[in-house]
Amino acid sequence: MSDSGKSIESFSGEEQRYEPTPAFSAQARIKTKEEYDKLYQESIESPETFWKRETSELVFRKPWDKLVDWQLPFAKWFVGAELNITESCLDRHLETERKDKPAIIFEGEPGDTETLTYTQLHQKVCDFAAALKANGIGPGDRVAIYMGMVPEVVIGMLACARIGAAHTVVFGGFAAEAIRDRINDCGAKAVLTQDGAWRRGKVVPLKATVDAALEGVKSIEKVFVYRRMSAQDCTIEMQEGRDLDWYEAIKAADSSLGVEAEIVDAEHPLFILYTSGSTGKPKGVLHTTGGYLAGTHLTTKYVFDLQEDDVYWCTADVGWITGHSYIVYGPLSNGASCVLYEGAPNQPDWGRFWNVIEKHKVSILYTAPTAIRAFIKAGDEWVDKNDISSLRLLGTVGEPINPEAWRWFYQKVGRGECPIVDTWWQTETGSIMMTTLPGVHAVKPGSCGVPFFGVKPAIVSSEGEELRPGEGGLLVVQNPWPSMLRTIWGDDERFKAQYFSDIEGAYFTGDGARFDQEGYFTVVGRIDDVLNVSGHRIGTAEIESSLVAHEAVAEAAAVGRPHDLKGQALVVFVTLKPGFDGNAEMEAALSAHISNEIGKFARPDLVVLVDSLPKTRSGKIMRRILKDVAAGREVQGDLSTLEDRTVVESIQARFS
Ligand code: WTA
């Protein structure tokens, strides 16, 4: 934990409240505060009764013997149960009227569309599951997925789940090196990819990046390539013996292979998703089958108040946890119709989102504050050009939403009528942990609200003492919950150290927060060395270790500073090795280095070449000083441990 953790300021915050409209509450799944209170209490005091009832519509082939086995910090949920998650997401709907209901409504960036009903999606998943099996992939194997936002990425994830293989989706913005690290860490046997993806009118060459990533990688036996592009738009090379065309592989396989889902234990690995932490090495967050299904299913149903005729759109990328939980498993297990949009929000112009909403009559929109801020900047006229009156519920995730952005979203997009759910959760939590329920709770802009069923959050001091309303502290969760991460892949010790060692007996989130008299939580942001840039989680240590691997770099320190659109922006301070010139070219080269090694989304806003970095007498870089300097603030706090004050002055001079 960084030293800044102790000094989160307390303040009274936004006092305005917005009640749900009576019309919304009247039709909502949960209508009153009394109902919420009763369910919440039951979920904490009688969790067996609660989870039995609430998961009754899901397909368990064998019921559980015991709800939870909690050997802190290791949890097992639905002990003894057996299932295949795809039977809850697909097969169960085929016996109902949902069989002909759109499951995926795909909107390509160029404007092409494709709708897959539940029957069709099921078929495609079974077919691709057969292709995977025919190529020797089976239960317990890991499959890396590096794809864009096309129906096949969902099909690929579900096909892995159907055969009991764990997927690890790597966000399409990551560079070759980052893909290689992740594949090596989990020992993936196959990769699913596509030739290219459309992004802002250009082709992102995904297959070529996979080719580069696989150089020297031993574990990969097969690469399945979905062809999204025409040959003119994107040429690819297929490596004989390793690479297979997605649909050719299906044709060549015995289709009966994928029909029967592999029935697995509730604790069988479902996926690994790498996320940034406070060290240079990304963490492979492991989620398992039964608990993850229960968590995503229930939150989707109640937080988004999902009704049968909703058209639901989560604008996240499947490469992040939001895409896993709220594009794939949560909505499909509820039988929702989900819009899947391939491209950028401003292609061909800033009206695209609103146009997609009008075109597909989207009723639920789940997006990120960073996108909202970009829309505000682009101007109201883009919203006004479209009829978005189909919207009935809005949601945000990924970072705190500033009250101004909240109000714009509420008034301009939601006509002052649609409830907004500000959902707090993490890759590690698997599903939404805190939010308001849309038919029940008043919303206070900037505050995410109250705990979801089964979750016991608390604010504690760094000594673990529970704090009172209004006091800023560390956000922890005091009990296990079904969709919690089970471990860090291959590293139980790191799992323990990272999440269960700071505060005794509780899961430490890495966030600073406070709660008010009414029990509403406000998450202020990360207090560890993790940045949130445009909703992307970036570990400063990862950036630093990438920089010091560059031949010219002696030392590097990465910090965040506030940014109007991105929330936070990345600033790096670098000292060079003797013999290298600190000029604009070098700054550009280091910036390009990060984009090549990690991905474009991690490219710093500013590279500052300095003679030396501020350090303590024992040689530790004092990042908090750099944070203040980068943000243009007075340097705060105790400077007595600083070895050489002139270093700070000379860095400050660069910013004046
Ligand atoms: C931040 C994304 C404030 C928080 C689902 C958390 C939020 C990190 C909110 C997890 C919110 C997420 N209000 N902050 N509603 N939602 N965060 O793993 O700092 O990509 O720890 O998961 O995002 O980011 P991750």
Side-chain angles (χ1 to χ4, degrees), residues 275 321-322 396-401 422-428 448 509 511 523 525-526 532 535 537:
T275 189
I321 191 69
T322 306
T396 67
V397 59
E399 56 180 312
I401 180 163
D422 176 354
T423 62
W424 178 89
W425 59 295
Q426 309 179 295
T427 304
E428 292 87 342
C448 58
T509 62
D511 279 347
V523 175
R526 305 287 309 195
N532 194 329
R537 240 171 100 161

Side-chain angles (χ1 to χ4, degrees), residues 483-498:
S483 66
M484 68 191 287
L485 81 163
R486 296 302 192 259
T487 190
I488 292 174
W489 182 258
D491 202 344
D492 286 349
E493 283 310 310
R494 189 171 174 204
F495 167 67
K496 252 192 243 175
Q498 181 83 41

Side-chain angles (χ1 to χ4, degrees), residues 560-586:
R561 70 169 172 192
H563 187 280
D564 282 351
L565 285 181
K566 300 180 188 176
Q568 277 189 304
L570 180 64
V571 178
V572 299
F573 295 86
V574 175
T575 62
L576 297 177
K577 286 182 185 155
F580 289 95
D581 280 344
N583 50 26
E585 251 166 58
M586 178 60 78

